[in-house]
Each structure stands twice: as C-alpha cells, then as structure tokens.
Amino acid sequence: MIKKENVFLDGVEVHRVTFEKGAKWSNDLKPYAGTESCMFPHVAYVQSGRLKVVMDDGSEEEFGSGDIMMLPPGHDAWTVGDEACVFIEFSAGTNYYTD
C-alpha cells in the first residue's frame, strides 16, 4: 500500500509519501498511471526506511534515511527491507498516488 498526505504552500505542493513494506510502483501504481514506468520527476527527502529505484536505462540506486532523491521520469521503485519508506516530496502538477 502507498499513502500520500498533502500540504499546499503558496503554489508549492508538498507530499509525505509512504511506501509500506512490500510496496512497488509497478505493482501498486502502474494501473493508475497507464505507463510502463513512472513518468513523474521526483525531488524528495527520505525521512525513514529505504527505497530501491531502477531507471528505464537499467541504472540503479538505493536511497535511505537522510538522503535526497532527484529522479527523472522513467523509473520503478520499491521498498527495501522490513520498514516502510517515508519521503517528503516537493512537486508540481498532478500525480497518481493513492489516498
């Protein structure tokens, strides 16, 4: 399960996103997106847990507590380990995280 909480500040949208244990973009959000991979860019601060990201070109990166993620469009992502991954994301535009 993936959860999102929103705050709107003078035109800037901030989300606290939780990827629960076992959550994976391609399993949980791909049906909403209608694309083969996530096509939204992400700029986020990882608050807790770990997130593995694989780009469409095959490159991989893993992010953990205290890391800043800057992801271009074209990726899949999933939690790593037994803890949910929580990150604070700064974005503009529409997204498809479930409530």
Side-chain angles (χ1 to χ4, degrees), residues 10-87:
D10 293 329
V12 175
E13 196 170 339
V14 180
H15 313 277
R16 181 167 66 183
V17 179
T18 302
F19 269 54
E20 297 290 347
K21 177 183 170 184
K24 186 172 184 178
W25 184 91
S26 55
N27 294 336
D28 301 313
L29 294 174
K30 181 178 177 177
Y32 298 99
T35 57
E36 285 302 309
S37 59
C38 180
M39 297 310 293
F40 287 119
H42 301 282
V43 176
Y45 170 79
V46 180
Q47 192 173 24
S48 62
R50 299 197 66 76
L51 193 72
K52 173 84 173 212
V53 177
V54 176
M55 301 301 298
D56 289 349
D57 69 4
S59 61
E60 302 180 10
E61 196 160 354
E62 192 170 308
F63 299 94
S65 182
D67 288 342
I68 301 292
M69 295 189 297
M70 295 184 72
L71 302 176
H75 57 270
D76 193 3
W78 58 89
T79 52
V80 174
D82 293 329
E83 181 183 358
C85 182
V86 179
F87 54 92

